[in-house]
Amino acid sequence: MSKKLLIYNPISNAGHLDSWSSVILEELVKLGKDPIYAGEDIQIIKENINDINIIKKIKFVKFSNIQDKIFIKFKSLILRIINFFFSKLFKKNYSYNLFFNPKFFFKTSDSILKKFDINQKDVLVINMFLDIYAINKKTWLECDKKYNFNWCGIHFHDVKSRIEIINSLKNNIFLIFLIKDLTDKYNTKKNHYLSEFTYIKKNKKQNILEKKIKNHSRERKIIFMGGAIGKRKNLSNW
């Protein structure tokens, strides 16, 4: 029997994640699947897809990760205060990262499966952004023991500690990397490579910003370069 697919987007309104989720959902529907999408902003996905026939095939579940957001905002404030004094004393900035607790991902996915009465053996959960989670082996192992559904996810950067922890979990089927070499580097499981892509659908009606840019261009070619050029862009293959 074909597995049910749950696409889980941990953060909405963060640029590419909404776009990628929209593309993946569209392609899955075209392949004959009826996916479930879980995210904080459902409307942006529907607007991106903009096809009622495809939208009808997708079950949408909205969630709100308030706990992690409050924790991150509070921690960010404390760290900014520390950074202020650190920079004054040592004339350099203190670097830090803020991460989500993976417990919310597992708990939310489990509640969605129960809501739709889906057997945990009959589903594959796909997490769209694993880099946002804390590197805490104990927490990951606790979740892996408590929840039994199979899952995979996209891991953007080469963070050895997190990748090795996740790949060691019994319910993690594989990881999806944006850096091609990582499939050879981390080979304890059959991990996969996904080349970066972009969402090219556009609305028929031009928005104000688009009109302004076209005005300024005076019919010259417009090239937009957004984001950072990192290793995962695979520049050596260009």
Side-chain angles (χ1 to χ4, degrees), residues 135-168:
I135 305 167
N136 185 322
K137 189 171 185 177
K138 185 184 175 186
T139 305
W140 284 102
L141 287 170
E142 284 173 0
C143 293
D144 192 52
K145 190 176 179 181
K146 187 174 180 180
Y147 303 101
N148 292 313
F149 56 83
N150 288 337
W151 66 279
C152 64
I154 300 175
H155 204 292
F156 283 63
H157 300 94
D158 184 2
V159 182
K160 186 179 179 183
S161 49
R162 189 190 296 108
I163 290 170
E164 288 185 342
I165 290 168
I166 293 174
N167 257 175
S168 71

PDB file of all heavy atoms in Angstrom, residues 135-168:
ATOM      1  N   ILE A 135      20.705  20.796  18.668  1.00  0.00           N
ATOM      2  CA  ILE A 135      21.545  19.600  18.605  1.00  0.00           C
ATOM      3  C   ILE A 135      21.627  19.030  20.024  1.00  0.00           C
ATOM      4  O   ILE A 135      22.539  19.317  20.784  1.00  0.00           O
ATOM      5  CB  ILE A 135      22.959  19.942  18.061  1.00  0.00           C
ATOM      6  CG1 ILE A 135      22.834  20.643  16.709  1.00  0.00           C
ATOM      7  CG2 ILE A 135      23.801  18.684  17.935  1.00  0.00           C
ATOM      8  CD1 ILE A 135      24.116  21.292  16.224  1.00  0.00           C
ATOM      9  N   ASN A 136      20.617  18.249  20.358  1.00  0.00           N
ATOM     10  CA  ASN A 136      20.531  17.673  21.704  1.00  0.00           C
ATOM     11  C   ASN A 136      20.173  16.199  21.551  1.00  0.00           C
ATOM     12  O   ASN A 136      19.012  15.854  21.324  1.00  0.00           O
ATOM     13  CB  ASN A 136      19.455  18.422  22.508  1.00  0.00           C
ATOM     14  CG  ASN A 136      19.386  17.957  23.961  1.00  0.00           C
ATOM     15  OD1 ASN A 136      19.532  16.774  24.240  1.00  0.00           O
ATOM     16  ND2 ASN A 136      19.154  18.888  24.865  1.00  0.00           N
ATOM     17  N   LYS A 137      21.162  15.356  21.650  1.00  0.00           N
ATOM     18  CA  LYS A 137      20.975  13.922  21.378  1.00  0.00           C
ATOM     19  C   LYS A 137      19.908  13.296  22.267  1.00  0.00           C
ATOM     20  O   LYS A 137      19.077  12.509  21.801  1.00  0.00           O
ATOM     21  CB  LYS A 137      22.303  13.183  21.547  1.00  0.00           C
ATOM     22  CG  LYS A 137      22.235  11.734  21.066  1.00  0.00           C
ATOM     23  CD  LYS A 137      23.609  11.085  21.048  1.00  0.00           C
ATOM     24  CE  LYS A 137      23.519   9.679  20.454  1.00  0.00           C
ATOM     25  NZ  LYS A 137      24.852   9.040  20.363  1.00  0.00           N
ATOM     26  N   LYS A 138      19.898  13.684  23.529  1.00  0.00           N
ATOM     27  CA  LYS A 138      18.943  13.113  24.480  1.00  0.00           C
ATOM     28  C   LYS A 138      17.499  13.383  24.037  1.00  0.00           C
ATOM     29  O   LYS A 138      16.651  12.487  24.052  1.00  0.00           O
ATOM     30  CB  LYS A 138      19.186  13.695  25.875  1.00  0.00           C
ATOM     31  CG  LYS A 138      18.318  13.069  26.947  1.00  0.00           C
ATOM     32  CD  LYS A 138      18.522  13.737  28.298  1.00  0.00           C
ATOM     33  CE  LYS A 138      17.542  13.171  29.327  1.00  0.00           C
ATOM     34  NZ  LYS A 138      17.624  13.912  30.607  1.00  0.00           N
ATOM     35  N   THR A 139      17.218  14.621  23.625  1.00  0.00           N
ATOM     36  CA  THR A 139      15.863  14.992  23.190  1.00  0.00           C
ATOM     37  C   THR A 139      15.451  14.225  21.943  1.00  0.00           C
ATOM     38  O   THR A 139      14.332  13.717  21.852  1.00  0.00           O
ATOM     39  CB  THR A 139      15.789  16.512  22.913  1.00  0.00           C
ATOM     40  OG1 THR A 139      16.217  17.217  24.069  1.00  0.00           O
ATOM     41  CG2 THR A 139      14.374  16.942  22.564  1.00  0.00           C
ATOM     42  N   TRP A 140      16.358  14.140  20.970  1.00  0.00           N
ATOM     43  CA  TRP A 140      16.061  13.409  19.724  1.00  0.00           C
ATOM     44  C   TRP A 140      15.772  11.934  20.020  1.00  0.00           C
ATOM     45  O   TRP A 140      14.827  11.353  19.474  1.00  0.00           O
ATOM     46  CB  TRP A 140      17.221  13.524  18.747  1.00  0.00           C
ATOM     47  CG  TRP A 140      17.321  14.847  18.050  1.00  0.00           C
ATOM     48  CD1 TRP A 140      18.185  15.867  18.332  1.00  0.00           C
ATOM     49  CD2 TRP A 140      16.528  15.298  16.937  1.00  0.00           C
ATOM     50  NE1 TRP A 140      17.980  16.921  17.483  1.00  0.00           N
ATOM     51  CE2 TRP A 140      16.976  16.609  16.613  1.00  0.00           C
ATOM     52  CE3 TRP A 140      15.497  14.736  16.192  1.00  0.00           C
ATOM     53  CZ2 TRP A 140      16.425  17.354  15.566  1.00  0.00           C
ATOM     54  CZ3 TRP A 140      14.944  15.468  15.142  1.00  0.00           C
ATOM     55  CH2 TRP A 140      15.407  16.764  14.849  1.00  0.00           C
ATOM     56  N   LEU A 141      16.571  11.328  20.902  1.00  0.00           N
ATOM     57  CA  LEU A 141      16.384   9.913  21.242  1.00  0.00           C
ATOM     58  C   LEU A 141      15.065   9.681  21.972  1.00  0.00           C
ATOM     59  O   LEU A 141      14.379   8.679  21.741  1.00  0.00           O
ATOM     60  CB  LEU A 141      17.554   9.408  22.094  1.00  0.00           C
ATOM     61  CG  LEU A 141      18.884   9.206  21.361  1.00  0.00           C
ATOM     62  CD1 LEU A 141      20.012   8.949  22.356  1.00  0.00           C
ATOM     63  CD2 LEU A 141      18.795   8.058  20.355  1.00  0.00           C
ATOM     64  N   GLU A 142      14.701  10.605  22.852  1.00  0.00           N
ATOM     65  CA  GLU A 142      13.422  10.511  23.575  1.00  0.00           C
ATOM     66  C   GLU A 142      12.245  10.537  22.600  1.00  0.00           C
ATOM     67  O   GLU A 142      11.298   9.763  22.730  1.00  0.00           O
ATOM     68  CB  GLU A 142      13.294  11.666  24.574  1.00  0.00           C
ATOM     69  CG  GLU A 142      14.133  11.492  25.831  1.00  0.00           C
ATOM     70  CD  GLU A 142      14.115  12.740  26.714  1.00  0.00           C
ATOM     71  OE1 GLU A 142      13.445  13.735  26.351  1.00  0.00           O
ATOM     72  OE2 GLU A 142      14.780  12.717  27.773  1.00  0.00           O
ATOM     73  N   CYS A 143      12.322  11.446  21.637  1.00  0.00           N
ATOM     74  CA  CYS A 143      11.251  11.564  20.629  1.00  0.00           C
ATOM     75  C   CYS A 143      11.186  10.324  19.751  1.00  0.00           C
ATOM     76  O   CYS A 143      10.094   9.847  19.404  1.00  0.00           O
ATOM     77  CB  CYS A 143      11.479  12.803  19.766  1.00  0.00           C
ATOM     78  SG  CYS A 143      11.302  14.368  20.667  1.00  0.00           S
ATOM     79  N   ASP A 144      12.356   9.804  19.394  1.00  0.00           N
ATOM     80  CA  ASP A 144      12.420   8.618  18.527  1.00  0.00           C
ATOM     81  C   ASP A 144      11.817   7.399  19.227  1.00  0.00           C
ATOM     82  O   ASP A 144      11.197   6.547  18.588  1.00  0.00           O
ATOM     83  CB  ASP A 144      13.885   8.347  18.163  1.00  0.00           C
ATOM     84  CG  ASP A 144      14.026   7.319  17.051  1.00  0.00           C
ATOM     85  OD1 ASP A 144      13.377   7.495  16.001  1.00  0.00           O
ATOM     86  OD2 ASP A 144      14.779   6.349  17.235  1.00  0.00           O
ATOM     87  N   LYS A 145      11.984   7.352  20.539  1.00  0.00           N
ATOM     88  CA  LYS A 145      11.452   6.239  21.333  1.00  0.00           C
ATOM     89  C   LYS A 145       9.937   6.371  21.534  1.00  0.00           C
ATOM     90  O   LYS A 145       9.198   5.387  21.504  1.00  0.00           O
ATOM     91  CB  LYS A 145      12.159   6.204  22.689  1.00  0.00           C
ATOM     92  CG  LYS A 145      11.866   4.966  23.513  1.00  0.00           C
ATOM     93  CD  LYS A 145      12.679   4.969  24.797  1.00  0.00           C
ATOM     94  CE  LYS A 145      12.374   3.724  25.636  1.00  0.00           C
ATOM     95  NZ  LYS A 145      13.150   3.723  26.901  1.00  0.00           N
ATOM     96  N   LYS A 146       9.485   7.618  21.699  1.00  0.00           N
ATOM     97  CA  LYS A 146       8.072   7.880  22.009  1.00  0.00           C
ATOM     98  C   LYS A 146       7.153   7.775  20.795  1.00  0.00           C
ATOM     99  O   LYS A 146       6.023   7.307  20.887  1.00  0.00           O
ATOM    100  CB  LYS A 146       7.937   9.269  22.641  1.00  0.00           C
ATOM    101  CG  LYS A 146       6.552   9.581  23.144  1.00  0.00           C
ATOM    102  CD  LYS A 146       6.535  10.919  23.877  1.00  0.00           C
ATOM    103  CE  LYS A 146       5.141  11.245  24.390  1.00  0.00           C
ATOM    104  NZ  LYS A 146       5.101  12.545  25.110  1.00  0.00           N
ATOM    105  N   TYR A 147       7.650   8.239  19.628  1.00  0.00           N
ATOM    106  CA  TYR A 147       6.821   8.277  18.415  1.00  0.00           C
ATOM    107  C   TYR A 147       7.377   7.307  17.373  1.00  0.00           C
ATOM    108  O   TYR A 147       8.585   7.278  17.136  1.00  0.00           O
ATOM    109  CB  TYR A 147       6.781   9.691  17.846  1.00  0.00           C
ATOM    110  CG  TYR A 147       6.273  10.706  18.856  1.00  0.00           C
ATOM    111  CD1 TYR A 147       7.167  11.527  19.548  1.00  0.00           C
ATOM    112  CD2 TYR A 147       4.918  10.842  19.132  1.00  0.00           C
ATOM    113  CE1 TYR A 147       6.713  12.462  20.476  1.00  0.00           C
ATOM    114  CE2 TYR A 147       4.451  11.774  20.048  1.00  0.00           C
ATOM    115  CZ  TYR A 147       5.355  12.573  20.731  1.00  0.00           C
ATOM    116  OH  TYR A 147       4.904  13.483  21.645  1.00  0.00           O
ATOM    117  N   ASN A 148       6.489   6.558  16.725  1.00  0.00           N
ATOM    118  CA  ASN A 148       6.941   5.472  15.848  1.00  0.00           C
ATOM    119  C   ASN A 148       6.714   5.692  14.358  1.00  0.00           C
ATOM    120  O   ASN A 148       6.895   4.767  13.567  1.00  0.00           O
ATOM    121  CB  ASN A 148       6.258   4.160  16.270  1.00  0.00           C
ATOM    122  CG  ASN A 148       6.744   3.694  17.630  1.00  0.00           C
ATOM    123  OD1 ASN A 148       7.945   3.676  17.887  1.00  0.00           O
ATOM    124  ND2 ASN A 148       5.819   3.348  18.506  1.00  0.00           N
ATOM    125  N   PHE A 149       6.307   6.888  13.949  1.00  0.00           N
ATOM    126  CA  PHE A 149       6.095   7.109  12.509  1.00  0.00           C
ATOM    127  C   PHE A 149       7.433   7.321  11.791  1.00  0.00           C
ATOM    128  O   PHE A 149       8.385   7.855  12.361  1.00  0.00           O
ATOM    129  CB  PHE A 149       5.165   8.317  12.270  1.00  0.00           C
ATOM    130  CG  PHE A 149       5.615   9.600  12.892  1.00  0.00           C
ATOM    131  CD1 PHE A 149       6.555  10.421  12.271  1.00  0.00           C
ATOM    132  CD2 PHE A 149       5.085  10.011  14.115  1.00  0.00           C
ATOM    133  CE1 PHE A 149       6.961  11.616  12.845  1.00  0.00           C
ATOM    134  CE2 PHE A 149       5.492  11.213  14.700  1.00  0.00           C
ATOM    135  CZ  PHE A 149       6.434  12.013  14.060  1.00  0.00           C
ATOM    136  N   ASN A 150       7.493   6.872  10.538  1.00  0.00           N
ATOM    137  CA  ASN A 150       8.689   7.074   9.718  1.00  0.00           C
ATOM    138  C   ASN A 150       8.736   8.512   9.221  1.00  0.00           C
ATOM    139  O   ASN A 150       7.707   9.090   8.879  1.00  0.00           O
ATOM    140  CB  ASN A 150       8.689   6.127   8.509  1.00  0.00           C
ATOM    141  CG  ASN A 150       8.947   4.694   8.914  1.00  0.00           C
ATOM    142  OD1 ASN A 150       9.528   4.413   9.954  1.00  0.00           O
ATOM    143  ND2 ASN A 150       8.505   3.759   8.094  1.00  0.00           N
ATOM    144  N   TRP A 151       9.928   9.063   9.183  1.00  0.00           N
ATOM    145  CA  TRP A 151      10.054  10.439   8.718  1.00  0.00           C
ATOM    146  C   TRP A 151      11.409  10.681   8.058  1.00  0.00           C
ATOM    147  O   TRP A 151      12.364   9.925   8.231  1.00  0.00           O
ATOM    148  CB  TRP A 151       9.846  11.417   9.875  1.00  0.00           C
ATOM    149  CG  TRP A 151      10.908  11.361  10.943  1.00  0.00           C
ATOM    150  CD1 TRP A 151      11.005  10.464  11.967  1.00  0.00           C
ATOM    151  CD2 TRP A 151      12.029  12.236  11.068  1.00  0.00           C
ATOM    152  NE1 TRP A 151      12.121  10.721  12.722  1.00  0.00           N
ATOM    153  CE2 TRP A 151      12.767  11.809  12.205  1.00  0.00           C
ATOM    154  CE3 TRP A 151      12.486  13.340  10.347  1.00  0.00           C
ATOM    155  CZ2 TRP A 151      13.934  12.450  12.623  1.00  0.00           C
ATOM    156  CZ3 TRP A 151      13.654  13.989  10.766  1.00  0.00           C
ATOM    157  CH2 TRP A 151      14.359  13.533  11.896  1.00  0.00           C
ATOM    158  N   CYS A 152      11.453  11.747   7.259  1.00  0.00           N
ATOM    159  CA  CYS A 152      12.696  12.191   6.630  1.00  0.00           C
ATOM    160  C   CYS A 152      12.667  13.713   6.643  1.00  0.00           C
ATOM    161  O   CYS A 152      11.723  14.311   7.165  1.00  0.00           O
ATOM    162  CB  CYS A 152      12.812  11.646   5.209  1.00  0.00           C
ATOM    163  SG  CYS A 152      11.518  12.273   4.102  1.00  0.00           S
ATOM    164  N   GLY A 153      13.679  14.350   6.089  1.00  0.00           N
ATOM    165  CA  GLY A 153      13.655  15.806   6.087  1.00  0.00           C
ATOM    166  C   GLY A 153      14.809  16.404   5.310  1.00  0.00           C
ATOM    167  O   GLY A 153      15.785  15.720   4.986  1.00  0.00           O
ATOM    168  N   ILE A 154      14.671  17.691   5.017  1.00  0.00           N
ATOM    169  CA  ILE A 154      15.714  18.423   4.279  1.00  0.00           C
ATOM    170  C   ILE A 154      16.683  19.055   5.271  1.00  0.00           C
ATOM    171  O   ILE A 154      16.272  19.756   6.197  1.00  0.00           O
ATOM    172  CB  ILE A 154      15.088  19.514   3.386  1.00  0.00           C
ATOM    173  CG1 ILE A 154      14.131  18.886   2.359  1.00  0.00           C
ATOM    174  CG2 ILE A 154      16.172  20.314   2.669  1.00  0.00           C
ATOM    175  CD1 ILE A 154      13.365  19.897   1.508  1.00  0.00           C
ATOM    176  N   HIS A 155      17.973  18.766   5.076  1.00  0.00           N
ATOM    177  CA  HIS A 155      19.034  19.358   5.901  1.00  0.00           C
ATOM    178  C   HIS A 155      19.913  20.195   4.990  1.00  0.00           C
ATOM    179  O   HIS A 155      20.572  19.677   4.104  1.00  0.00           O
ATOM    180  CB  HIS A 155      19.845  18.272   6.601  1.00  0.00           C
ATOM    181  CG  HIS A 155      20.530  18.763   7.849  1.00  0.00           C
ATOM    182  ND1 HIS A 155      21.555  19.674   7.812  1.00  0.00           N
ATOM    183  CD2 HIS A 155      20.307  18.497   9.164  1.00  0.00           C
ATOM    184  CE1 HIS A 155      21.959  19.925   9.044  1.00  0.00           C
ATOM    185  NE2 HIS A 155      21.205  19.230   9.889  1.00  0.00           N
ATOM    186  N   PHE A 156      19.926  21.507   5.208  1.00  0.00           N
ATOM    187  CA  PHE A 156      20.585  22.427   4.284  1.00  0.00           C
ATOM    188  C   PHE A 156      22.110  22.433   4.423  1.00  0.00           C
ATOM    189  O   PHE A 156      22.829  22.417   3.435  1.00  0.00           O
ATOM    190  CB  PHE A 156      20.066  23.855   4.520  1.00  0.00           C
ATOM    191  CG  PHE A 156      18.702  24.115   3.942  1.00  0.00           C
ATOM    192  CD1 PHE A 156      17.588  23.424   4.399  1.00  0.00           C
ATOM    193  CD2 PHE A 156      18.524  25.046   2.935  1.00  0.00           C
ATOM    194  CE1 PHE A 156      16.330  23.658   3.873  1.00  0.00           C
ATOM    195  CE2 PHE A 156      17.272  25.293   2.398  1.00  0.00           C
ATOM    196  CZ  PHE A 156      16.174  24.591   2.868  1.00  0.00           C
ATOM    197  N   HIS A 157      22.612  22.511   5.652  1.00  0.00           N
ATOM    198  CA  HIS A 157      24.050  22.716   5.865  1.00  0.00           C
ATOM    199  C   HIS A 157      24.734  21.454   6.388  1.00  0.00           C
ATOM    200  O   HIS A 157      24.080  20.553   6.914  1.00  0.00           O
ATOM    201  CB  HIS A 157      24.276  23.871   6.843  1.00  0.00           C
ATOM    202  CG  HIS A 157      23.705  25.172   6.373  1.00  0.00           C
ATOM    203  ND1 HIS A 157      22.444  25.597   6.738  1.00  0.00           N
ATOM    204  CD2 HIS A 157      24.199  26.122   5.538  1.00  0.00           C
ATOM    205  CE1 HIS A 157      22.197  26.764   6.164  1.00  0.00           C
ATOM    206  NE2 HIS A 157      23.238  27.095   5.434  1.00  0.00           N
ATOM    207  N   ASP A 158      26.053  21.454   6.268  1.00  0.00           N
ATOM    208  CA  ASP A 158      26.848  20.322   6.734  1.00  0.00           C
ATOM    209  C   ASP A 158      27.155  20.500   8.224  1.00  0.00           C
ATOM    210  O   ASP A 158      28.205  21.007   8.605  1.00  0.00           O
ATOM    211  CB  ASP A 158      28.153  20.238   5.918  1.00  0.00           C
ATOM    212  CG  ASP A 158      28.980  19.012   6.295  1.00  0.00           C
ATOM    213  OD1 ASP A 158      28.525  18.228   7.149  1.00  0.00           O
ATOM    214  OD2 ASP A 158      30.079  18.847   5.729  1.00  0.00           O
ATOM    215  N   VAL A 159      26.211  20.097   9.058  1.00  0.00           N
ATOM    216  CA  VAL A 159      26.401  20.164  10.517  1.00  0.00           C
ATOM    217  C   VAL A 159      26.494  18.725  11.013  1.00  0.00           C
ATOM    218  O   VAL A 159      25.478  18.054  11.240  1.00  0.00           O
ATOM    219  CB  VAL A 159      25.232  20.914  11.209  1.00  0.00           C
ATOM    220  CG1 VAL A 159      25.475  21.003  12.711  1.00  0.00           C
ATOM    221  CG2 VAL A 159      25.076  22.305  10.608  1.00  0.00           C
ATOM    222  N   LYS A 160      27.725  18.263  11.156  1.00  0.00           N
ATOM    223  CA  LYS A 160      27.995  16.855  11.433  1.00  0.00           C
ATOM    224  C   LYS A 160      27.263  16.329  12.664  1.00  0.00           C
ATOM    225  O   LYS A 160      26.656  15.252  12.625  1.00  0.00           O
ATOM    226  CB  LYS A 160      29.500  16.643  11.597  1.00  0.00           C
ATOM    227  CG  LYS A 160      29.905  15.181  11.746  1.00  0.00           C
ATOM    228  CD  LYS A 160      31.411  15.026  11.886  1.00  0.00           C
ATOM    229  CE  LYS A 160      31.776  13.558  12.047  1.00  0.00           C
ATOM    230  NZ  LYS A 160      33.233  13.389  12.264  1.00  0.00           N
ATOM    231  N   SER A 161      27.296  17.087  13.749  1.00  0.00           N
ATOM    232  CA  SER A 161      26.705  16.613  15.005  1.00  0.00           C
ATOM    233  C   SER A 161      25.203  16.342  14.852  1.00  0.00           C
ATOM    234  O   SER A 161      24.709  15.285  15.259  1.00  0.00           O
ATOM    235  CB  SER A 161      26.946  17.620  16.129  1.00  0.00           C
ATOM    236  OG  SER A 161      26.594  18.927  15.711  1.00  0.00           O
ATOM    237  N   ARG A 162      24.471  17.277  14.237  1.00  0.00           N
ATOM    238  CA  ARG A 162      23.027  17.085  14.078  1.00  0.00           C
ATOM    239  C   ARG A 162      22.716  15.968  13.085  1.00  0.00           C
ATOM    240  O   ARG A 162      21.831  15.142  13.313  1.00  0.00           O
ATOM    241  CB  ARG A 162      22.335  18.371  13.639  1.00  0.00           C
ATOM    242  CG  ARG A 162      20.804  18.241  13.688  1.00  0.00           C
ATOM    243  CD  ARG A 162      20.064  19.395  13.039  1.00  0.00           C
ATOM    244  NE  ARG A 162      20.280  20.643  13.706  1.00  0.00           N
ATOM    245  CZ  ARG A 162      21.020  21.653  13.219  1.00  0.00           C
ATOM    246  NH1 ARG A 162      21.616  21.508  12.030  1.00  0.00           N
ATOM    247  NH2 ARG A 162      21.172  22.781  13.866  1.00  0.00           N
ATOM    248  N   ILE A 163      23.432  15.951  11.970  1.00  0.00           N
ATOM    249  CA  ILE A 163      23.188  14.940  10.929  1.00  0.00           C
ATOM    250  C   ILE A 163      23.409  13.535  11.477  1.00  0.00           C
ATOM    251  O   ILE A 163      22.593  12.629  11.245  1.00  0.00           O
ATOM    252  CB  ILE A 163      24.098  15.197   9.696  1.00  0.00           C
ATOM    253  CG1 ILE A 163      23.650  16.477   8.964  1.00  0.00           C
ATOM    254  CG2 ILE A 163      24.061  14.004   8.740  1.00  0.00           C
ATOM    255  CD1 ILE A 163      24.607  16.957   7.903  1.00  0.00           C
ATOM    256  N   GLU A 164      24.493  13.339  12.215  1.00  0.00           N
ATOM    257  CA  GLU A 164      24.797  12.005  12.746  1.00  0.00           C
ATOM    258  C   GLU A 164      23.777  11.567  13.796  1.00  0.00           C
ATOM    259  O   GLU A 164      23.418  10.387  13.863  1.00  0.00           O
ATOM    260  CB  GLU A 164      26.221  11.975  13.313  1.00  0.00           C
ATOM    261  CG  GLU A 164      27.280  12.023  12.209  1.00  0.00           C
ATOM    262  CD  GLU A 164      28.698  11.886  12.727  1.00  0.00           C
ATOM    263  OE1 GLU A 164      28.904  12.100  13.949  1.00  0.00           O
ATOM    264  OE2 GLU A 164      29.596  11.577  11.919  1.00  0.00           O
ATOM    265  N   ILE A 165      23.306  12.512  14.601  1.00  0.00           N
ATOM    266  CA  ILE A 165      22.270  12.186  15.591  1.00  0.00           C
ATOM    267  C   ILE A 165      20.996  11.744  14.886  1.00  0.00           C
ATOM    268  O   ILE A 165      20.422  10.692  15.198  1.00  0.00           O
ATOM    269  CB  ILE A 165      21.979  13.400  16.517  1.00  0.00           C
ATOM    270  CG1 ILE A 165      23.156  13.656  17.457  1.00  0.00           C
ATOM    271  CG2 ILE A 165      20.706  13.160  17.332  1.00  0.00           C
ATOM    272  CD1 ILE A 165      23.079  14.981  18.201  1.00  0.00           C
ATOM    273  N   ILE A 166      20.559  12.535  13.914  1.00  0.00           N
ATOM    274  CA  ILE A 166      19.303  12.235  13.212  1.00  0.00           C
ATOM    275  C   ILE A 166      19.396  10.921  12.450  1.00  0.00           C
ATOM    276  O   ILE A 166      18.484  10.082  12.499  1.00  0.00           O
ATOM    277  CB  ILE A 166      18.911  13.392  12.263  1.00  0.00           C
ATOM    278  CG1 ILE A 166      18.542  14.649  13.076  1.00  0.00           C
ATOM    279  CG2 ILE A 166      17.738  12.985  11.379  1.00  0.00           C
ATOM    280  CD1 ILE A 166      18.281  15.883  12.246  1.00  0.00           C
ATOM    281  N   ASN A 167      20.503  10.706  11.756  1.00  0.00           N
ATOM    282  CA  ASN A 167      20.668   9.467  10.984  1.00  0.00           C
ATOM    283  C   ASN A 167      20.757   8.220  11.870  1.00  0.00           C
ATOM    284  O   ASN A 167      20.559   7.103  11.400  1.00  0.00           O
ATOM    285  CB  ASN A 167      21.894   9.555  10.088  1.00  0.00           C
ATOM    286  CG  ASN A 167      21.555   9.821   8.617  1.00  0.00           C
ATOM    287  OD1 ASN A 167      22.439  10.012   7.799  1.00  0.00           O
ATOM    288  ND2 ASN A 167      20.279   9.828   8.267  1.00  0.00           N
ATOM    289  N   SER A 168      21.056   8.412  13.146  1.00  0.00           N
ATOM    290  CA  SER A 168      21.155   7.269  14.066  1.00  0.00           C
ATOM    291  C   SER A 168      19.786   6.841  14.602  1.00  0.00           C
ATOM    292  O   SER A 168      19.648   5.776  15.192  1.00  0.00           O
ATOM    293  CB  SER A 168      22.075   7.613  15.249  1.00  0.00           C
ATOM    294  OG  SER A 168      21.445   8.550  16.119  1.00  0.00           O
TER     295      SER A 168
END
